[in-house]
Amino acid sequence: MTELPVALRAMPEVSERVRELHAQMTLEEKLAQLVGYWLDQGGNVVAPMQGEMAGGQGTTALPDITRHGLGHYTRVYGTRPVDPAERAAWLWAEQRRIKRETRLGIPALVHEECLTGLAAWKAATFPTPLAWGASFDPELVEEMGRLIGDSMKELGIHQGLAPVLDVVRDPRWGRVDECIGEDPYLVGTVGTSYVRGMQGAGVHATLKHFVAYSASKAGRNHAPVSAGPREIADVFLPPFEMAVVDGDVRSVMASYNDVDGVPMHSSGEYLTELLREKWGFDGVVVADYFGVAFLSVMHAIAADRGAAAAAALQAGVDVELPSGDAYLEPLTALVKDGDVPVEVVDRAVLRALKQKEELGLLEPDVYEDEPPAVVDVDSPAHRDVARRLAEESVVLLANDGVLPFGSWHDKPARVAVIGPNADRPEALMGCYSFANHVLAHHPGVPAGFEIPSLAEALATELGGPDAPELTFARGCDVEGDDTSGFAEAVAAAEAADVAVVVVGDQAGLFGRGTVGEGNDSESLDLPGVQRELVEAVLATGRPVVMVLLTGRPYAIGWALDGDGSGGRTPGAVLQAFFPGEEGGSALAGVLSGRVNPSGRLPVSLPRSSGAQPYSYLHPILGGASEVTSTDSTPVRAFGFGLSYTTFERELVSVDPSVEAGGTFRAVVVVTNAGEVAGSDVVQLYGHDVVSSVARPTTQLLGYHRVDLAPGESTTIAFDVPTTRFAFSDRKMVRIVEPGDVEVWVGAHAADNVVRVVAEGIADLDEPNDSVPVLPPSARRLVTITGDVHEVTTSDRRWVDTTVAP
């Protein structure tokens, strides 16, 4: 039998209802289901080249636009500030009109951005994804995803454009704040938890950006990608596969990039052969905004919009977003002329109708209920999760004892709060927060929810009868070279017992800010004159706490370890990745000691911009060595984070052998050896000693967050599938090879001081201190036996590492 071309393969299995509905459709009605319409988009540029690509949209009446039906309404709530309840009333009426006035009566699917919470006016703003990664807490991220989904469902929104599963490779890239981290397993487990939460609320999640978008050259947005097929298979694809296979995600968004010259929006190899035929994905693939037209405009692989539509549709892009520039008139002509098989259109239409059926949009009584009269999109439940996630995500990078303030024998009587991000709520939110994404175009419109700045939160935190005197000085702006405010900042520090200097980023889009979509950077130095401000305050001799509110890791080795000049360094350094509406309170709690910091770096802290791109997942040749004069070693490693207590971790046993394809157990005892309660993120690492292709020297195998009282110990057992060591061999077949692998527990990826105790502990709940301890550099060997194991998707190889009590 002759194999069908990709364009005609992967036809969906659908219900009889969907099949009967599809059989009634004209070509125009079919294509109408494959496009979106962007309401109210004029004036607010929130997508790349939106001004050039929007055309005359918005000048035609809605009844004419929807006369054949409509696939999606684009960003009904998220394009301008509209009251959620008032907009819901409009949406219910509009959906009823579509049902009443179109021949088939199919409501439109409504999608919205939801990366840091629902991107709508007055809605809760959660920490940015880098903070999710820093929390190492998938369960809490799932809880957040469920709350976001609940809000969306209440407002009649069906699909969310999140999570971002791009693996960070270069912190110069502006969209790093949208990403979870640099480790595929961390990205996959946390991202899949978000999917489970959102879809558990009945809203479809959308994986972004498929695939390798973050591997762009020099960290530039919309840039080509030259990653090899093995790097794509072993680094960039695993998080997506986990979310598809283990999370049953219902939507995937193609990425803007080209990979080795092939634009992803035209890649049947990835969108159909891999995603659908190999992984079994049976949801809907949507275009990134204007991504179909970009095949002509930006990639120049299509002569016009019609050719772009044909290429994308045949590759497997089912729905064109945000509008129908290519999939309406240009594609209609090609199908009628016989240049594009109608079966290709049918394939996408059946998928789109199947999705609407799953979401309940084909039920006869949909939208017959009344819209919500009152909508609380920033409820106490939202704020509780936002607070907990913010608190868990703060990373303590250095501390000489200046923190927490509550531990001082003589508590500070005067605290100077200094810096461009000290008293700005916008500094707590990421690029895709509604405030920075949309309200930046509407000066004077309030955020619509409470978001105290760090200065405000600290005043509340330290308030009371013995409250210290707080003074504020901005010092400088986030950007620019104006140092005229330095004198005031220095004077404030000199008059205080301790200075808290808050520096970092302003998130925005396309040049409006220092980080975010389109805000890539040539440097990893703090923007503007912020380093000079910190150094001027340090020169006063007062104790200094430096707080970073950023969307990327910066090169701050000078503040952590000094720059070799003998100058002073801050007594403590805190890193927060846009911690959201409760971020100011979370940071204030860490400063006071009410919150014991437990965040861990989800990305390596870079030594310099010239050392990029860098990943801790590097082979031997990717690390520092005596044969190069440059040093790529990060200032702080992936997984690093300090606490106000100390933890001891012992790898007490590991199965000595396991068959390829099987699972081995590693048992860890962790003890809070300090005097205050705290949370540890136990990290299990491994290394394939000898393999047929170069493999990373260090690889995260599993992690588990645990809360411990002072002096308390607990035992954690990791059940690790050998497929965590799987890789693509020289024939690009994914395998597990027999041989030795090393396993150890560490405080972070560069922690090679591993305590491995001898076999034979009788009671793991009561570690025996008399058991001889092997040399600190020792790692435990596990021998993988048997034949080479070829890994298939049915192995569910990216399922979470099981943690047994």
Side-chain angles (χ1 to χ4, degrees):
M1 179 182 293
T2 303
E3 184 179 12
L4 288 172
V6 167
L8 299 180
R9 299 209 309 257
M11 294 295 285
E13 295 183 6
V14 297
S15 69
E16 188 63 28
R17 173 168 61 177
V18 166
R19 198 164 298 282
E20 290 177 358
L21 184 59
H22 171 262
Q24 302 176 47
M25 301 177 103
T26 65
L27 176 61
E28 289 76 13
E29 288 170 333
K30 290 176 180 178
L31 294 178
Q33 292 299 317
L34 303 184
V35 302
Y37 180 75
W38 198 346
L39 217 65
D40 301 327
Q41 70 161 308
N44 292 345
V45 178
V46 294
M49 297 181 63
Q50 179 181 328
E52 296 88 336
M53 303 300 295
Q57 185 171 329
T59 62
T60 306
L62 287 182
D64 290 330
I65 290 165
T66 62
R67 65 189 182 278
H68 298 301
L70 181 65
H72 283 234
Y73 259 132
T74 294
R75 302 196 68 177
V76 168
Y77 294 89
T79 303
R80 62 182 176 88
V82 292
D83 180 80
E86 292 176 5
R87 196 57 159 176
W90 174 89
L91 178 60
W92 257 249
E94 173 61 12
Q95 295 282 32
R96 291 167 180 168
R97 183 196 66 79
I98 292 176
K99 287 180 63 180
R100 182 178 65 250
E101 296 182 3
T102 60
R103 189 175 73 91
L104 298 174
I106 306 171
L109 188 156
V110 179
H111 74 257
E112 285 289 354
E113 299 286 0
C114 54
L115 191 63
T116 60
L118 172 59
W121 192 37
K122 302 182 180 180
T125 298
F126 293 92
T128 204
L130 264 187
W132 309 355
S135 77
F136 280 77
D137 193 343
E139 291 78 13
L140 186 53
V141 170
E142 181 172 346
E143 192 175 344
M144 176 190 68
R146 181 64 181 254
L147 285 170
I148 297 171
D150 286 341
S151 294
M152 297 172 77
K153 188 174 179 65
E154 184 181 13
L155 292 171
I157 302 166
H158 312 101
Q159 182 172 334
L161 303 187
V164 170
L165 298 188
D166 296 309
V167 178
V168 175
R169 299 299 265 186
D170 192 330
R172 294 174 297 180
W173 192 47
R175 304 192 76 168
V176 165
D177 87 296
E178 300 177 44
C179 303
I180 294 168
E182 70 176 280
D183 180 84
Y185 183 67
L186 177 65
V187 174
T189 49
V190 172
T192 300
S193 292
Y194 179 95
V195 169
R196 291 192 184 112
M198 175 157 288
Q199 295 192 167
V203 175
H204 285 185
T206 304
L207 308 183
K208 303 193 311 188
H209 306 86
F210 191 73
V211 64
Y213 190 44
S214 56
S216 59
K217 291 183 177 179
R220 290 171 42 240
N221 199 38
H222 275 227
V225 169
S226 297
R230 182 171 292 104
E231 183 180 8
I232 292 176
D234 294 352
V235 175
F236 296 109
L237 285 175
F240 289 93
E241 185 177 14
M242 182 186 287
V244 168
V245 176
D246 298 323
D248 192 28
V249 74
R250 306 311 300 144
S251 180
V252 172
M253 177 180 281
S255 56
Y256 287 129
N257 59 315
D258 69 58
V259 176
D260 197 24
V262 178
M264 195 55 59
H265 276 74
S266 68
S267 175
E269 296 82 1
Y270 283 104
L271 299 181
T272 296
E273 292 179 1
L274 176 68
L275 183 60
R276 294 191 182 276
E277 297 177 351
K278 185 174 181 180
W279 290 356
F281 174 71
D282 63 350
V284 173
V285 173
V286 300
D288 206 342
Y289 284 13
F290 310 114
V292 174
F294 283 169
L295 293 177
S296 171
V297 177
M298 299 296 289
H299 296 288
I301 68 154
D304 51 32
R305 297 287 203 279
L313 189 64
Q314 293 182 83
V317 177
D318 301 309
V319 177
E320 181 186 11
L321 297 180
S323 53
D325 297 341
Y327 276 16
L328 290 178
E329 286 84 358
L331 185 56
T332 301
L334 291 176
V335 175
K336 288 183 174 180
D337 290 343
D339 295 324
V340 173
V342 70
E343 291 85 356
V344 183
V345 175
D346 291 338
R347 181 179 67 175
V349 173
L350 289 170
R351 291 171 182 163
L353 292 177
K354 177 182 178 181
Q355 181 184 29
K356 287 193 172 184
E357 182 179 47
E358 292 176 353
L359 291 164
L361 287 170
L362 301 188
E363 299 301 324
D365 62 347
V366 64
Y367 286 106
E368 293 305 314
D369 61 337
E370 291 302 312
V374 178
V375 181
D376 188 353
V377 288
D378 186 33
S379 70
H382 288 86
R383 299 202 72 95
D384 175 65
V385 170
R387 173 189 56 79
R388 286 187 283 140
L389 188 54
E391 290 175 353
E392 289 186 1
S393 68
V394 176
V395 184
L396 179 61
L397 297 174
N399 187 22
D400 66 0
V402 66
L403 289 181
F405 292 160
S407 69
W408 287 21
H409 295 296
D410 296 317
K411 293 181 181 179
R414 297 175 299 279
V415 178
V417 186
I418 297 167
N421 280 349
D423 202 24
R424 288 194 318 112
E426 296 84 2
L428 298 166
M429 296 178 283
C431 167
Y432 267 74
S433 65
F434 188 79
N436 288 328
H437 205 72
V438 176
L439 284 187
H441 300 281
H442 300 270
V445 177
F449 61 94
E450 292 297 320
I451 179 167
S453 68
L454 176 53
E456 293 170 332
L458 193 59
T460 301
E461 181 76 27
L462 300 180
D466 59 346
E469 176 187 346
L470 265 64
T471 57
F472 168 71
R474 190 181 71 223
C476 66
D477 293 329
V478 170
E479 299 180 88
D481 58 3
D482 183 4
T483 61
S484 59
F486 278 23
E488 181 187 10
V490 167
E494 288 176 334
D497 297 315
V498 61
V500 178
V501 187
V502 191
V503 294
D505 279 317
Q506 169 58 48
L509 296 104
F510 313 120
R512 300 189 304 274
T514 57
V515 73
E517 185 172 2
N519 289 329
D520 313 312
S521 179
E522 296 177 354
S523 169
L524 290 178
D525 296 329
L526 284 174
V529 293
Q530 294 184 80
R531 174 176 174 174
E532 289 89 334
L533 173 65
V534 176
E535 291 175 331
V537 174
L538 284 170
T540 65
R542 294 295 188 269
V544 172
V545 177
M546 185 170 87
V547 178
L548 295 123
L549 289 170
T550 71
R552 62 161 60 92
Y554 280 100
I556 57 165
W558 56 271
L560 295 171
D561 305 320
D563 59 5
S565 65
R568 296 181 66 245
T569 58
V573 179
L574 288 170
Q575 171 70 64
F577 296 111
F578 292 147
E581 64 182 28
E582 289 287 342
S585 299
L587 281 162
V590 170
L591 292 170
S592 73
R594 173 178 57 83
V595 175
N596 192 346
S598 59
R600 303 292 184 265
L601 286 175
V603 286
S604 304
L605 209 59
R607 182 166 300 278
S608 68
S609 57
Q612 306 310 308
Y614 172 86
S615 169
Y616 94 93
L617 288 169
H618 62 75
I620 295 173
L621 290 184
S625 72
E626 60 184 15
V627 298
T628 175
S629 58
T630 61
D631 185 1
S632 60
T633 306
V635 174
R636 294 293 184 271
F638 170 86
F640 181 89
L642 301 176
S643 171
Y644 293 152
T645 188
T646 57
F647 296 98
E648 295 178 355
R649 310 165 191 90
E650 295 180 331
L651 183 62
V652 296
S653 71
V654 179
D655 292 341
S657 65
V658 59
E659 188 171 356
T663 298
F664 66 88
R665 171 163 286 197
V667 179
V668 177
V669 172
V670 57
T671 301
N672 181 349
E675 298 179 355
V676 295
S679 299
D680 190 26
V681 176
V682 182
Q683 302 165 49
L684 188 72
Y685 289 96
H687 167 60
D688 193 342
V689 178
V690 177
S691 59
S692 55
V693 301
R695 299 292 296 143
T697 59
T698 302
Q699 174 186 351
L700 182 67
L701 299 179
Y703 62 90
H704 184 64
R705 173 179 276 272
V706 60
D707 301 326
L708 294 173
E712 183 182 6
S713 295
T714 192
T715 300
I716 299 169
F718 292 95
D719 289 333
V720 184
T722 55
T723 48
R724 294 289 293 116
F725 288 101
F727 62 90
S728 301
D729 69 7
R730 298 190 182 197
K731 295 181 180 180
M732 289 306 297
V733 176
R734 195 160 183 84
I735 63 168
V736 176
E737 282 185 333
D740 289 338
V741 296
E742 294 178 318
V743 177
W744 68 97
V745 63
H748 49 78
D751 184 7
N752 293 329
V753 180
V754 186
R755 297 185 67 193
V756 183
V757 300
E759 300 281 354
I761 294 181
D763 187 352
L764 294 179
D765 291 328
E766 296 180 7
N768 187 345
D769 291 336
S770 66
V771 174
V773 177
L774 299 177
S777 61
R779 307 184 184 195
R780 184 62 60 86
L781 284 180
V782 177
T783 300
I784 298 177
T785 63
D787 298 326
V788 171
H789 174 74
E790 183 175 335
V791 181
T792 63
T793 301
S794 61
D795 284 309
R796 299 179 68 83
R797 62 178 175 270
W798 298 114
V799 72
D800 299 8
T801 298
T802 301
V803 179

